[in-house]
């Protein structure tokens, strides 16, 4: 029986290897949160800037303990009882993205719970919690990324294990919600897999779901339990604000008509930049054909915004059109770096000045390329978890 035993040290233990780099700082502001009369919070790195000159990515370390603007403006009232509540909050990680889970725990000043996850020879998954969760508020961090079905089933079994161990509440923290694109019927006799997955998570015993940048807002309605929708745009906006780009030179571009609302909200917070739209037609799944551009990008720095990059056909064809229409530079920003082949070949082709993503999904080193920048959402998720646990406002983070 093959096994993967996840037993993480407490946050006070030795710093993980990915937090001990001696690289120079690339991103100037930390995403840590400091408060008196509460738990200890620790800063984690905010971005990874890929540099393939020596064959290794550069991972900057952030030592400042100040909040970025999007969290500073929404600083919550100090909670004197958090220290007492720490023992009632348990954070566990699945095998899909343990690095992100460790970063979240590091920020929260907690240790990841001990859990044993094994896979039998026939592929069946075995989960055992190695510490008591009776009466606890349990948070399970597990994106349902590739291999999607494996990670989804693992999450369901983790939820079931917590429920049978008498956890008071079980929250599924899903940084990337697989099957989110199957949210409606576009042709006859199709399934709506997003609703099916929502039902599975609910029936498994989850009391709440915390998800990042769902493909469409209506997916929240598929759940019969509360859903906290975490928007990762503030992390990207905070990074773009640190770059020396004149406000009058910016234009935000939606890669398709369906993403106009997302791009408009992004543009409003990015110096109220003008908006452009790429009109495209799809001839099949994962196949995009760019038709024309609505808006003016001549001589401007175009920032394309989407929720995910899968095969990168939409982004790259859109970038080619923007250059054809006179854009000076093109940046691509997204939350979820799915990066299915041939995405890396397309993104590294030279059309994009920079590709900015977050670490909601793990990005393998083989998929690093010079234009790639990875921003951490660990502090944003950690702050959201604390607010849910304290019954405080989550939406005020994004105001």
């Amino acid at each position: 029986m093959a096994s993967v035993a996840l037993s993480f040290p407490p946050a006070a233990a030795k710093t993980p290897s990915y937090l001990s780099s001696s690289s120079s700082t690339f991103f100037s502001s930390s995403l840590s949160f400091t408060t008196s009369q509460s738990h200890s919070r620790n800063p984690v790195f905010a971005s990874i800037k890929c540099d393939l000159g020596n064959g290794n990515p550069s991972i900057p370390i952030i030592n400042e303990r100040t909040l970025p603007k999007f969290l500073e403006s929404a600083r919550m009232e100090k909670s004197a009882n958090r220290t007492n509540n720490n023992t009632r909050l348990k954070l566990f990680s699945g095998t899909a993205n343990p690095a992100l889970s460790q970063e979240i725990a590091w920020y929260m000043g907690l240790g990841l719970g001990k859990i044993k996850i094994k896979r039998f020879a026939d592929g069946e998954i075995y989960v055992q919690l190695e510490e008591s969760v009776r009466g606890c508020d349990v948070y399970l961090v597990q994106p349902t990324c590739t291999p999607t079905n494996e990670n989804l089933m693992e999450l369901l079994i983790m939820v079931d294990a917590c429920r049978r161990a008498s956890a008071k509440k079980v929250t599924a923290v899903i940084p990337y919600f697989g099957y989110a694109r199957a949210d409606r019927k576009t042709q006859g006799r199709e399934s709506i897999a997003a609703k099916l997955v929502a039902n599975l998570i609910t029936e498994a015993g989850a009391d709440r779901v915390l998800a990042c940048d769902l493909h469409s807002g209506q997916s929240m309605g598929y759940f019969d339990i509360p859903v906290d929708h975490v928007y990762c745009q503030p992390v990207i906006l905070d990074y773009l604000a640190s770059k020396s780009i004149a406000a009058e030179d910016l234009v935000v571009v939606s890669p398709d008509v369906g993403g106009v609302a997302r791009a408009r909200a992004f543009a409003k917070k990015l110096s109220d930049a003008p908006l452009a739209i790429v009109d495209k037609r799809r001839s099949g799944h994962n196949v995009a054909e760019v038709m024309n551009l609505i808006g003016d990008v001549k001589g401007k720095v175009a920032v394309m915004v989407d929720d995910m990059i899968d095969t990168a056909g939409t982004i790259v064809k859109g970038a080619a059109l923007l250059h054809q229409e006179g854009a000076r530079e093109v940046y691509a920003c997204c939350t979820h770096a799915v990066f299915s082949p041939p995405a890396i070949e397309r993104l590294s082709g030279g059309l994009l000045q920079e590709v900015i993503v977050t670490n909601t999904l793990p990005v393998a080193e083989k998929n690093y390329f010079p234009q790639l920048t990875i921003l951490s959402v660990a502090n944003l998720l950690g702050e959201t978890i604390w607010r849910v646990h304290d019954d405080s406002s989550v939406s005020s983070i994004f105001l």
Side-chain angles (χ1 to χ4, degrees):
M1 173 171 59
S3 67
V4 179
L6 296 180
S7 179
F8 294 95
K14 183 179 179 181
T15 302
S17 60
Y18 60 85
L19 295 178
S20 60
S21 169
S22 59
S23 305
S24 60
T25 298
F26 176 74
F27 184 32
S28 61
S29 66
S30 167
L31 300 183
S32 63
F33 185 97
T34 57
T35 180
S36 61
Q37 300 180 357
S38 68
H39 57 283
S40 170
R41 296 191 180 186
N42 302 289
V44 296
F45 71 86
S47 68
I48 298 176
K49 179 65 177 178
C50 294
D51 181 5
L52 301 187
N54 58 4
N56 296 313
S58 172
I59 304 178
I61 303 303
I62 305 305
N63 294 317
E64 300 176 16
R65 291 176 176 264
T66 58
L67 280 169
K69 293 178 181 178
F70 75 91
L71 280 181
E72 186 67 49
S73 61
R75 181 186 291 272
M76 66 182 300
E77 296 179 359
K78 298 182 178 79
S79 176
N81 63 349
R82 271 190 175 177
T83 302
N84 297 329
N85 287 342
N86 285 359
T87 58
R88 312 308 298 170
L89 189 154
K90 300 284 187 179
L91 186 68
F92 292 91
S93 173
T95 61
N97 196 350
L100 175 59
S101 303
Q102 184 64 76
E103 290 177 48
I104 294 172
W106 193 265
Y107 167 78
M108 297 177 69
L110 301 174
L112 284 174
K114 295 180 180 179
I115 185 171
K116 182 185 292 183
I117 300 176
K118 297 182 178 181
R119 280 171 171 75
F120 292 95
D122 62 353
E124 293 180 5
I125 301 171
Y126 169 84
V127 173
Q128 180 189 21
L129 303 177
E130 296 188 314
E131 59 183 75
S132 175
V133 296
R134 185 178 296 274
C136 293
D137 196 358
V138 178
Y139 293 82
L140 306 174
V141 183
Q142 174 80 340
T144 52
C145 52
T146 304
T148 306
N149 298 331
E150 282 276 316
N151 290 328
L152 173 60
M153 193 64 197
E154 184 179 304
L155 173 63
L156 298 176
I157 297 175
M158 290 170 66
V159 171
D160 183 70
C162 291
R163 177 60 57 204
R164 295 179 187 278
S166 301
K168 183 179 180 180
K169 293 181 181 178
V170 180
T171 299
V173 181
I174 311 175
Y176 171 71
F177 183 64
Y179 289 105
R181 284 174 285 183
D183 56 0
R184 65 191 185 280
K185 293 180 68 173
T186 58
Q187 301 180 55
R189 299 176 295 282
E190 285 186 333
S191 69
I192 304 179
K195 171 60 176 173
L196 173 62
V197 173
N199 287 343
L200 290 171
I201 294 172
T202 303
E203 291 301 319
D207 296 292
R208 178 182 293 268
V209 167
L210 195 159
C212 295
D213 281 336
L214 293 169
H215 185 64
S216 57
Q218 71 248 29
S219 296
M220 288 187 286
Y222 294 156
F223 290 89
D224 296 323
I225 54 178
V227 177
D228 289 299
H229 193 189
V230 178
Y231 298 94
C232 297
Q233 282 188 357
V235 177
I236 299 174
L237 286 166
D238 199 50
Y239 171 73
L240 288 174
S242 69
K243 304 181 76 67
S244 55
I245 303 175
E248 59 272 15
D249 292 338
L250 283 170
V251 58
V252 174
V253 182
S254 173
D256 53 38
V257 176
V260 171
R262 182 187 304 109
R264 184 184 295 115
F266 192 91
K268 185 176 181 180
K269 294 182 179 180
L270 191 64
S271 304
D272 202 14
L275 183 67
I277 304 169
V278 175
D279 176 38
K280 73 177 191 317
R281 299 288 187 272
R282 286 190 183 275
S283 57
H285 294 298
N286 293 330
V287 178
E289 181 182 355
V290 172
M291 301 298 291
N292 52 45
L293 180 71
I294 303 171
D296 180 27
V297 298
K298 188 174 182 180
K300 293 185 177 290
V301 176
V303 179
M304 300 185 72
V305 180
D306 210 347
D307 62 319
M308 70 177 71
I309 296 178
D310 190 354
T311 61
T314 297
I315 289 290
V316 170
K317 289 185 177 182
L321 178 64
L322 292 172
H323 280 294
Q324 181 181 335
E325 295 293 328
R328 191 168 79 241
E329 292 178 346
V330 179
Y331 290 78
C333 302
C334 83
T335 300
H336 308 300
V338 181
F339 288 172
S340 302
I344 304 304
E345 290 78 4
R346 289 172 171 173
L347 294 172
S348 59
L351 288 173
L352 296 165
Q353 181 74 17
E354 191 172 359
V355 178
I356 305 166
V357 301
T358 72
N359 62 343
T360 56
L361 284 78
V363 180
E365 284 194 32
K366 66 179 181 179
N367 289 334
Y368 290 158
F369 54 95
Q371 297 90 346
L372 179 65
T373 298
I374 304 173
L375 306 178
S376 177
V377 296
N379 295 359
L380 183 60
L381 288 173
E383 184 62 32
T384 303
I385 290 172
W386 270 122
R387 294 192 180 204
V388 172
H389 179 65
D390 289 341
D391 293 324
S392 301
S393 172
V394 172
S395 61
S396 60
I397 297 176
F398 312 105
L399 295 179

